[in-house]
Amino acid sequence: MTGLLYLIPVALFLGGLGLAAFIWSLKAGQYDDLEGASWRILQDDDEPKP
């Protein structure tokens, strides 16, 4: 039973840390362009330069 006294605060802290990291990634713009990477991989950038 005393183990819960340690595990519950640790779990709440780690959950809050994960939530803070997710909110930071939203504000940093990590999820702005979800389709851009899938289209960029299909573009051929190996064109000869004049």
Side-chain angles (χ1 to χ4, degrees):
M1 191 65 166
T2 58
L4 289 177
L5 293 175
Y6 297 113
L7 291 177
I8 290 174
V10 168
L12 289 175
F13 174 73
L14 290 176
L17 192 65
L19 181 64
F22 177 70
I23 291 173
W24 170 81
S25 69
L26 282 177
K27 290 186 180 200
Q30 294 292 319
Y31 303 108
D32 285 347
D33 187 18
L34 295 177
E35 291 187 15
S38 63
W39 285 105
R40 269 193 301 276
I41 199 169
L42 296 175
Q43 292 176 350
D44 188 20
D45 292 339
D46 296 334
E47 298 174 5
K49 298 193 178 186

